[in-house]
Every structure is written in structure tokens, then in C-alpha cells.
Amino acid sequence: MTRHVQIRRANPADFSALGGVFHAAVRQGAGQYTEAQRAVWSPAPRSGEAWAAHLGAQTVWLAEAGGEPLGFITLTPAGYIDLAYILAEAQGQGLFRRLYHAAETDARGLGIVRLWTDASLHAKGPFEAMGFAVTHAETVERGGERLARFRMEKTLDG
């Protein structure tokens, strides 16, 4: 990527744009899922009060270039990485790693000793590369479609 990418904490003014990143990443990326599965996962860009409240209850880091969001990751106060999405055209350039490191650094500073997530088929490899291990695989149902995912965790050593 030739543009300078900045990692920063997101704020409520960013949340609507992050809903668009979420939607685009699911619909244009996530190649291991069928179109029908991706359609129920994200039928439309997320926005509005419920989305803002969801993100507002977490710490959110945003990767952006030229003021345009490319991806984001969220962390709850309990150490759960709830959301981690990178636009398809920005994948493979180290953005997930940079976003994850921001979240882990913050978690360590807060005294969180364990991180966990429910990773999609697409996210499993990147989380494994960060030292996460699968604790179990599961299938969730959304809108009549079954989606495979993995509960993963990582213990943060002092």
C-alpha cells in the first residue's frame, strides 16, 4: 500500500463508516462463505443507535488512509475481540496485525490476561498468526443459513 495508514482509536463520528467497512468486508471478502451466507451475515451496512451503542460499549481501533477507513477491531472490557474487519482491497498488507497489536497493547495495560474471539473461517488464520488457539469449532444459524466459526483464545503472559 503506497498510502500512509494510520491506526487510531475510533470515535462515535466514525461508527457509521465502520458499519460500511463491516458490510463491504463481509460481502466482498469472506470467500469461504456462500453468497447466501454472506447476505444473512450482513444484509445491509450497520448504522443507527443500536450499532453506535454496540461500538460505544467497546474500545475500537481504526485503520485509515487519507481519512478513509480500511478496517477496524474492537475489544470489550472483558477481553473479547468482538469485531475485526478489513476491506477486501486492503487485506494482505499487515493491517490486521497492526490493529490487533493496538488492541493487545491496550488489553495488557488494562491488566487483561486472556483474549478470546469467535473467528470466521476467514479470520481463523490471522488470529492463529497472532498466537490464538482454537478451543472449539461451532456452527451458528442466521436467517436459515449455517455459518461455521471458531472460538479462539490467547493468554497474555506478563
Side-chain angles (χ1 to χ4, degrees), residues 26-47:
V26 168
R27 298 305 289 271
Q28 296 166 10
Q32 295 90 330
Y33 295 97
T34 67
E35 177 57 33
Q37 289 171 318
R38 288 182 280 150
V40 298
W41 184 352
S42 184
R46 297 185 178 192
S47 63

Side-chain angles (χ1 to χ4, degrees), residues 9-22:
R9 288 246 179 125
N11 60 62
D14 299 311
F15 293 171
S16 182
L18 296 183
V21 169
F22 177 102

Side-chain angles (χ1 to χ4, degrees), residues 77-97:
Y80 180 66
I81 296 177
D82 182 30
L83 304 167
Y85 291 91
I86 308 289
L87 292 175
E89 63 268 19
Q91 291 178 11
Q93 300 173 30
L95 294 184
F96 175 81
R97 180 177 299 275

Side-chain angles (χ1 to χ4, degrees), residues 61 73 75-81 99-117 127 129-133 152-158:
W61 291 268
I73 193 169
L75 178 70
T76 71
Y80 180 66
I81 296 177
L99 287 164
Y100 172 76
H101 282 304
E104 182 180 308
T105 298
D106 197 48
R108 289 178 182 277
L110 295 170
I112 295 171
V113 297
R114 176 181 157 269
L115 297 176
W116 79 100
T117 193
F127 275 105
M130 297 298 102
F132 280 71
M152 303 181 77
E153 68 177 40
K154 177 181 180 178
T155 301
L156 302 180
D157 299 324

Side-chain angles (χ1 to χ4, degrees), residues 52-77:
H54 186 81
L55 292 182
Q58 304 182 52
T59 304
V60 182
W61 291 268
L62 158 66
E64 67 180 359
E68 295 297 317
L70 303 173
F72 69 103
I73 193 169
T74 71
L75 178 70
T76 71

